Amino acid sequence: MAVKIATPLRALNPQRFARTVGRRLYSSQGLTVAVLFQDIDPPVINRVRKPRKPGGYQDSGADIAYTLRSKGINITTLDPSPQVSKHEGWCYPDTEEGIVSAVDNGATHLWANTILFDSHPLQRSDKLTSYASDLYVVGQPPGLVENCDDKAFLNDKLRSLGGYTLPHSWLVTDSDNLDEFVGSIKGFPVVGKPVRGRGSHGVKLCHTPVQLKQHIEALLGESPLIMVEEYLAGEEATITVMPPSPERPEHWSMLPVTRFNHADGIAPYNGSVAVTANSRVVTNDEMKDPAYGKVMEECQDVAKLIGATAPIRIDVRRFREGSEFALFDINMKPNMTGPGRPGREDQASLTAMAAAAIGWDYGTLLQKILASAQRLSAFRDYRSPF
């Protein structure tokens, strides 16, 4: 079966795109970045609403803006003089008014450090249409995020295409008979989680039928649709896939970052435990295990298939110690915190840790991501491969 590949750049000649973006990024003139934070509640999509992060990613947004400025890149901020010790004031809200304000203040590049969806102003605002050919965006096309943020949707599509290693999973709705469903599960433990999650919110390892039913009931109180997944008992790792850029015009995987010190089988939320305390990049010797190379290729294939235009981070785990890896969580918006501001020394994200392993400090990583920025018109022209 022929597999379609998403074509967000179908209106652009790749060589011309590379030359144009390269000139804009590395010229000392004509480039001003505004970072957007989440000020809009995500809509209900297929009866499910993605939980909003407290603060709307202003912490990582401030890290991005501060660090890019320290690299000599012109930054426009909501507060003309934001305090380095505070998250607020560095970023513009992702409302139509906030985005237009950033453009009015000279922004040529919008860093969409927020959750996107098809009705988002970046996709739908008429006020931005006249800028669509000249304004650049760092992030994923809103239509891509709306579809692929749904873990059940994306996993089912990958499973139907074949060639991807995935755990067994089941969907549960608020109309299902829970006793009947729980009774159909033959092997424990299993993991219950939202289909549109954020971090480790709502993710729990359930060891017994009673525990699973209680957790399903709790999750259904937040969302009418949840996922139950086979528990992968082996090593967990996460792989960042970088988008095409003028420097490297294809999707490519950074080295895996292995995770440890789980809390009851689940990696804790980075807001509770800094990832630098429970994660490390795999060693060259460990990379001799062909399971790493195989799963890295699968991750690259996912990014290429969906047409990712910014980094995605895919969490993978072995079925058991020494086995191959399965893809169990595909994140459209990886955490992008990083050191730079005072008191943020331990706030390297998993992606930043992987970048450090190839010699990129946090600021260099951000510059490389900025090089993947695309015209707003290309974002709006995105077409799903499914």
Side-chain angles (χ1 to χ4, degrees):
M1 177 179 66
V3 177
K4 290 198 300 180
I5 302 295
T7 54
L9 296 179
R10 72 184 195 283
L12 298 177
N13 176 276
Q15 289 74 28
R16 181 185 172 204
F17 170 73
R19 290 195 302 270
T20 302
V21 176
R23 285 197 302 270
R24 292 179 70 100
L25 285 177
Y26 300 111
S27 169
S28 60
Q29 300 178 358
L31 187 151
T32 300
V33 177
V35 181
L36 306 179
F37 75 90
Q38 184 185 26
D39 196 40
I40 302 175
D41 283 322
V44 175
I45 302 171
N46 296 328
R47 300 175 64 214
V48 178
R49 187 192 299 274
K50 186 181 180 79
R52 180 175 173 180
K53 181 181 178 181
Y57 304 98
Q58 289 185 83
D59 56 345
S60 55
D63 292 338
I64 293 167
Y66 173 87
T67 305
L68 286 176
R69 177 176 285 178
S70 73
K71 286 286 189 177
I73 294 172
N74 193 37
I75 303 293
T76 176
T77 55
L78 184 65
D79 183 334
S81 301
Q83 297 184 42
V84 69
S85 59
K86 294 185 177 181
H87 304 330
E88 297 79 13
W90 288 92
C91 310
Y92 289 85
D94 65 344
T95 59
E96 181 180 63
E97 180 182 8
I99 298 170
V100 170
S101 175
V103 174
D104 286 345
N105 286 335
T108 60
H109 289 62
L110 303 173
W111 191 301
N113 190 44
T114 183
I115 300 300
L116 298 173
F117 38 86
D118 193 59
S119 60
H120 195 278
L122 278 175
Q123 182 70 33
R124 299 296 176 185
S125 171
D126 291 337
K127 293 182 179 179
L128 294 174
T129 299
S130 61
Y131 302 105
S133 297
D134 300 312
L135 190 61
Y136 285 78
V137 183
V138 176
Q140 308 290 4
L144 182 160
V145 180
E146 176 156 328
N147 283 336
C148 296
D149 234 9
D150 184 326
K151 302 179 194 305
F153 172 87
L154 184 54
N155 283 6
D156 284 348
K157 293 298 184 183
L158 296 179
R159 191 172 284 111
S160 67
L161 289 171
Y164 301 95
T165 309
L166 301 161
H168 294 298
S169 64
W170 304 264
L171 292 179
V172 185
T173 72
D174 52 4
S175 62
D176 287 332
N177 183 316
L178 293 190
D179 289 321
E180 184 177 311
F181 170 75
V182 170
S184 72
I185 302 295
K186 302 304 181 185
F188 283 83
V190 293
V191 176
K193 60 186 183 182
V195 294
R196 288 186 183 271
R198 177 184 57 79
S200 58
H201 174 80
V203 182
K204 183 177 180 178
L205 182 64
C206 301
H207 297 270
T208 67
V210 171
Q211 202 174 48
L212 176 60
K213 182 181 178 182
Q214 290 174 342
H215 186 53
I216 290 174
E217 289 173 337
L219 288 177
L220 290 175
E222 300 180 5
S223 168
L225 179 67
I226 63 108
M227 177 184 288
V228 175
E229 197 168 68
E230 170 189 7
Y231 176 56
L232 304 169
E235 174 198 4
E236 181 175 341
T238 191
I239 296 170
T240 296
V241 183
M242 292 290 285
S245 69
E247 182 179 352
R248 195 164 179 175
E250 74 280 338
H251 292 91
W252 59 278
S253 294
M254 289 187 174
L255 288 172
V257 177
T258 190
R259 313 294 309 278
F260 47 87
N261 292 343
H262 290 59
D264 193 22
I266 305 298
Y269 172 52
N270 68 288
S272 303
V273 179
V275 295
T276 52
N278 61 12
S279 313
R280 63 169 178 80
V281 179
V282 299
T283 65
N284 289 335
D285 192 54
E286 289 170 324
M287 281 297 297
K288 295 175 183 177
D289 180 347
Y292 288 113
K294 178 178 182 293
V295 76
M296 289 169 71
E297 288 184 4
E298 287 191 26
C299 291
Q300 289 168 194
D301 288 345
V302 170
K304 180 180 179 182
L305 172 71
I306 64 176
T309 54
I312 63 171
R313 206 195 74 227
I314 302 180
D315 297 331
V316 303
R317 197 159 180 171
R318 298 182 193 259
F319 290 95
R320 63 198 69 84
E321 290 305 322
S323 77
E324 64 180 350
F325 287 93
L327 285 58
F328 74 90
D329 201 358
I330 301 169
N331 301 286
M332 295 300 108
K333 186 198 168 303
N335 179 33
M336 203 52 66
T337 57
R341 295 187 295 137
R344 304 283 290 175
E345 292 77 16
D346 66 344
Q347 289 302 306
S349 62
L350 293 163
T351 297
M353 292 177 66
I358 57 174
W360 294 355
D361 63 13
Y362 178 57
T364 301
L365 169 65
L366 297 179
Q367 288 178 298
K368 299 292 186 180
I369 295 172
L370 185 58
S372 68
Q374 296 186 38
R375 288 184 177 91
L376 178 60
S377 57
F379 269 51
R380 291 182 166 190
D381 282 346
Y382 174 83
R383 294 295 180 270
S384 172
F386 305 122

Short mmCIF file of all heavy atoms in Angstrom, two decimals, residues 317-350:
data_model
loop_
_atom_site.label_atom_id
_atom_site.label_comp_id
_atom_site.label_asym_id
_atom_site.label_seq_id
_atom_site.Cartn_x
_atom_site.Cartn_y
_atom_site.Cartn_z
N ARG A 317 9.62 2.42 24.86
CA ARG A 317 9.95 1.55 25.98
C ARG A 317 10.04 0.10 25.48
O ARG A 317 9.30 -0.30 24.58
CB ARG A 317 8.87 1.67 27.07
CG ARG A 317 9.31 1.13 28.43
CD ARG A 317 8.44 1.72 29.53
NE ARG A 317 8.86 1.21 30.83
CZ ARG A 317 8.40 1.67 32.00
NH1 ARG A 317 7.52 2.66 32.03
NH2 ARG A 317 8.83 1.17 33.14
N ARG A 318 10.94 -0.66 26.08
CA ARG A 318 11.07 -2.06 25.72
C ARG A 318 9.92 -2.86 26.33
O ARG A 318 9.46 -2.57 27.43
CB ARG A 318 12.40 -2.62 26.22
CG ARG A 318 13.65 -1.96 25.63
CD ARG A 318 14.89 -2.65 26.17
NE ARG A 318 16.11 -1.90 25.91
CZ ARG A 318 16.99 -2.17 24.94
NH1 ARG A 318 16.73 -3.17 24.11
NH2 ARG A 318 18.09 -1.45 24.78
N PHE A 319 9.47 -3.87 25.59
CA PHE A 319 8.43 -4.75 26.13
C PHE A 319 8.91 -5.43 27.41
O PHE A 319 8.15 -5.60 28.36
CB PHE A 319 8.06 -5.82 25.10
CG PHE A 319 7.31 -5.27 23.91
CD1 PHE A 319 7.98 -4.93 22.75
CD2 PHE A 319 5.94 -5.10 23.97
CE1 PHE A 319 7.30 -4.43 21.65
CE2 PHE A 319 5.24 -4.59 22.87
CZ PHE A 319 5.92 -4.26 21.71
N ARG A 320 10.20 -5.77 27.42
CA ARG A 320 10.83 -6.36 28.60
C ARG A 320 12.32 -6.08 28.47
O ARG A 320 12.78 -5.64 27.40
CB ARG A 320 10.54 -7.87 28.67
CG ARG A 320 11.10 -8.66 27.52
CD ARG A 320 10.48 -10.02 27.36
NE ARG A 320 9.09 -9.89 26.93
CZ ARG A 320 8.73 -9.72 25.65
NH1 ARG A 320 9.65 -9.64 24.69
NH2 ARG A 320 7.46 -9.61 25.32
N GLU A 321 13.07 -6.32 29.49
CA GLU A 321 14.51 -6.04 29.43
C GLU A 321 15.15 -6.81 28.28
O GLU A 321 14.96 -8.02 28.14
CB GLU A 321 15.18 -6.40 30.75
CG GLU A 321 14.82 -5.47 31.90
CD GLU A 321 15.10 -4.00 31.60
OE1 GLU A 321 16.13 -3.70 30.95
OE2 GLU A 321 14.28 -3.14 32.00
N GLY A 322 15.89 -6.11 27.44
CA GLY A 322 16.60 -6.73 26.33
C GLY A 322 15.81 -6.88 25.06
O GLY A 322 16.36 -7.29 24.03
N SER A 323 14.50 -6.55 25.08
CA SER A 323 13.68 -6.71 23.88
C SER A 323 13.77 -5.45 23.01
O SER A 323 14.46 -4.49 23.34
CB SER A 323 12.22 -6.97 24.27
OG SER A 323 11.59 -5.75 24.69
N GLU A 324 13.03 -5.46 21.92
CA GLU A 324 12.93 -4.26 21.10
C GLU A 324 12.07 -3.21 21.80
O GLU A 324 11.37 -3.50 22.77
CB GLU A 324 12.33 -4.59 19.73
CG GLU A 324 10.90 -5.09 19.78
CD GLU A 324 10.35 -5.42 18.40
OE1 GLU A 324 11.01 -5.09 17.40
OE2 GLU A 324 9.27 -6.01 18.33
N PHE A 325 12.10 -1.98 21.27
CA PHE A 325 11.32 -0.88 21.82
C PHE A 325 9.98 -0.76 21.10
O PHE A 325 9.88 -1.06 19.91
CB PHE A 325 12.05 0.45 21.66
CG PHE A 325 13.23 0.64 22.57
CD1 PHE A 325 14.51 0.30 22.16
CD2 PHE A 325 13.05 1.19 23.83
CE1 PHE A 325 15.60 0.50 22.99
CE2 PHE A 325 14.14 1.40 24.67
CZ PHE A 325 15.42 1.05 24.25
N ALA A 326 8.98 -0.26 21.80
CA ALA A 326 7.71 0.14 21.20
C ALA A 326 7.51 1.63 21.40
O ALA A 326 7.95 2.21 22.40
CB ALA A 326 6.56 -0.64 21.85
N LEU A 327 6.85 2.27 20.45
CA LEU A 327 6.49 3.69 20.56
C LEU A 327 5.20 3.79 21.37
O LEU A 327 4.19 3.20 20.99
CB LEU A 327 6.26 4.29 19.17
CG LEU A 327 7.45 4.59 18.26
CD1 LEU A 327 8.29 3.35 17.97
CD2 LEU A 327 6.96 5.19 16.94
N PHE A 328 5.24 4.53 22.48
CA PHE A 328 4.01 4.58 23.27
C PHE A 328 3.47 6.00 23.49
O PHE A 328 2.34 6.16 23.94
CB PHE A 328 4.18 3.87 24.62
CG PHE A 328 5.00 4.60 25.64
CD1 PHE A 328 4.41 5.49 26.54
CD2 PHE A 328 6.36 4.39 25.75
CE1 PHE A 328 5.15 6.16 27.49
CE2 PHE A 328 7.12 5.05 26.70
CZ PHE A 328 6.51 5.94 27.57
N ASP A 329 4.22 7.03 23.18
CA ASP A 329 3.69 8.38 23.34
C ASP A 329 4.41 9.32 22.38
O ASP A 329 5.63 9.49 22.47
CB ASP A 329 3.89 8.86 24.79
CG ASP A 329 2.95 10.01 25.15
OD1 ASP A 329 2.19 10.45 24.27
OD2 ASP A 329 2.98 10.47 26.31
N ILE A 330 3.66 9.91 21.46
CA ILE A 330 4.23 10.80 20.45
C ILE A 330 3.80 12.22 20.79
O ILE A 330 2.62 12.57 20.73
CB ILE A 330 3.77 10.39 19.04
CG1 ILE A 330 4.21 8.94 18.77
CG2 ILE A 330 4.34 11.33 17.99
CD1 ILE A 330 3.61 8.32 17.53
N ASN A 331 4.77 13.04 21.19
CA ASN A 331 4.50 14.38 21.71
C ASN A 331 4.73 15.42 20.63
O ASN A 331 5.85 15.60 20.15
CB ASN A 331 5.42 14.68 22.91
CG ASN A 331 5.25 13.68 24.04
OD1 ASN A 331 4.26 13.71 24.75
ND2 ASN A 331 6.22 12.78 24.20
N MET A 332 3.66 16.13 20.27
CA MET A 332 3.75 17.15 19.23
C MET A 332 4.46 18.41 19.72
O MET A 332 5.01 19.17 18.93
CB MET A 332 2.35 17.53 18.74
CG MET A 332 1.59 16.42 18.04
SD MET A 332 2.43 15.83 16.57
CE MET A 332 2.99 14.22 17.15
N LYS A 333 4.46 18.62 21.04
CA LYS A 333 5.12 19.80 21.60
C LYS A 333 6.01 19.39 22.77
O LYS A 333 5.58 19.37 23.92
CB LYS A 333 4.09 20.83 22.08
CG LYS A 333 4.73 22.13 22.54
CD LYS A 333 3.79 22.95 23.40
CE LYS A 333 4.54 24.08 24.06
NZ LYS A 333 5.70 23.63 24.88
N PRO A 334 7.26 19.02 22.49
CA PRO A 334 8.15 18.65 23.59
C PRO A 334 8.39 19.83 24.52
O PRO A 334 8.36 20.99 24.12
CB PRO A 334 9.45 18.27 22.88
CG PRO A 334 9.09 18.07 21.45
CD PRO A 334 7.91 18.95 21.19
N ASN A 335 8.63 19.51 25.79
CA ASN A 335 9.04 20.54 26.73
C ASN A 335 10.33 21.18 26.23
O ASN A 335 11.23 20.50 25.74
CB ASN A 335 9.26 19.91 28.11
CG ASN A 335 9.71 20.94 29.13
OD1 ASN A 335 9.32 22.10 29.07
ND2 ASN A 335 10.56 20.52 30.04
N MET A 336 10.43 22.52 26.31
CA MET A 336 11.58 23.22 25.75
C MET A 336 12.23 24.13 26.79
O MET A 336 12.80 25.16 26.46
CB MET A 336 11.14 23.99 24.51
CG MET A 336 12.28 24.31 23.53
SD MET A 336 13.28 22.90 23.03
CE MET A 336 12.09 21.93 22.11
N THR A 337 12.15 23.76 28.07
CA THR A 337 12.85 24.53 29.08
C THR A 337 14.36 24.36 28.90
O THR A 337 14.83 23.41 28.28
CB THR A 337 12.46 24.09 30.50
OG1 THR A 337 12.73 22.68 30.64
CG2 THR A 337 11.00 24.34 30.77
N GLY A 338 15.11 25.29 29.49
CA GLY A 338 16.56 25.19 29.41
C GLY A 338 17.25 26.14 30.35
O GLY A 338 16.65 27.13 30.80
N PRO A 339 18.51 25.87 30.67
CA PRO A 339 19.25 26.74 31.58
C PRO A 339 19.63 28.05 30.91
O PRO A 339 19.74 28.14 29.69
CB PRO A 339 20.49 25.91 31.91
CG PRO A 339 20.69 25.05 30.70
CD PRO A 339 19.31 24.74 30.19
N GLY A 340 19.82 29.06 31.71
CA GLY A 340 20.22 30.38 31.20
C GLY A 340 19.83 31.46 32.18
O GLY A 340 20.67 32.21 32.68
N ARG A 341 18.53 31.50 32.49
CA ARG A 341 18.09 32.48 33.49
C ARG A 341 18.52 32.04 34.89
O ARG A 341 18.61 30.83 35.16
CB ARG A 341 16.58 32.65 33.42
CG ARG A 341 16.08 33.26 32.12
CD ARG A 341 14.59 33.56 32.19
NE ARG A 341 13.78 32.36 32.31
CZ ARG A 341 12.74 32.23 33.13
NH1 ARG A 341 12.42 33.23 33.94
NH2 ARG A 341 12.02 31.11 33.14
N PRO A 342 18.75 32.97 35.81
CA PRO A 342 19.15 32.61 37.17
C PRO A 342 18.14 31.65 37.82
O PRO A 342 16.93 31.83 37.70
CB PRO A 342 19.17 33.96 37.89
CG PRO A 342 19.44 34.95 36.81
CD PRO A 342 18.74 34.42 35.60
N GLY A 343 18.64 30.62 38.47
CA GLY A 343 17.80 29.65 39.15
C GLY A 343 17.26 28.57 38.25
O GLY A 343 16.52 27.69 38.71
N ARG A 344 17.64 28.58 36.98
CA ARG A 344 17.12 27.60 36.02
C ARG A 344 18.20 26.61 35.58
O ARG A 344 18.05 25.93 34.57
CB ARG A 344 16.57 28.32 34.79
CG ARG A 344 15.50 29.36 35.08
CD ARG A 344 14.17 28.74 35.35
NE ARG A 344 13.58 28.14 34.16
CZ ARG A 344 12.45 27.44 34.17
NH1 ARG A 344 11.83 27.20 35.32
NH2 ARG A 344 11.97 26.93 33.05
N GLU A 345 19.25 26.50 36.37
CA GLU A 345 20.40 25.70 35.96
C GLU A 345 20.06 24.22 35.75
O GLU A 345 20.70 23.54 34.94
CB GLU A 345 21.53 25.83 37.00
CG GLU A 345 22.18 27.20 37.07
CD GLU A 345 21.34 28.23 37.82
OE1 GLU A 345 20.39 27.82 38.54
OE2 GLU A 345 21.63 29.44 37.68
N ASP A 346 19.06 23.70 36.47
CA ASP A 346 18.73 22.28 36.37
C ASP A 346 17.52 22.04 35.47
O ASP A 346 16.93 20.96 35.50
CB ASP A 346 18.46 21.68 37.75
CG ASP A 346 17.20 22.25 38.41
OD1 ASP A 346 16.71 23.31 37.95
OD2 ASP A 346 16.72 21.65 39.39
N GLN A 347 17.15 23.03 34.66
CA GLN A 347 15.92 22.93 33.88
C GLN A 347 16.12 22.52 32.42
O GLN A 347 15.29 22.81 31.57
CB GLN A 347 15.17 24.26 33.93
CG GLN A 347 14.55 24.54 35.29
CD GLN A 347 13.59 23.44 35.72
OE1 GLN A 347 12.66 23.11 35.00
NE2 GLN A 347 13.81 22.88 36.90
N ALA A 348 17.22 21.83 32.15
CA ALA A 348 17.40 21.29 30.80
C ALA A 348 16.27 20.31 30.50
O ALA A 348 15.95 19.45 31.31
CB ALA A 348 18.75 20.61 30.66
N SER A 349 15.66 20.43 29.35
CA SER A 349 14.63 19.49 28.92
C SER A 349 15.29 18.24 28.38
O SER A 349 16.52 18.18 28.16
CB SER A 349 13.76 20.13 27.85
OG SER A 349 14.55 20.43 26.70
N LEU A 350 14.49 17.21 28.12
CA LEU A 350 15.02 15.98 27.53
C LEU A 350 15.64 16.27 26.16
O LEU A 350 16.68 15.71 25.79
CB LEU A 350 13.92 14.94 27.42
CG LEU A 350 13.40 14.41 28.77
CD1 LEU A 350 12.05 13.72 28.58
CD2 LEU A 350 14.40 13.48 29.40
#
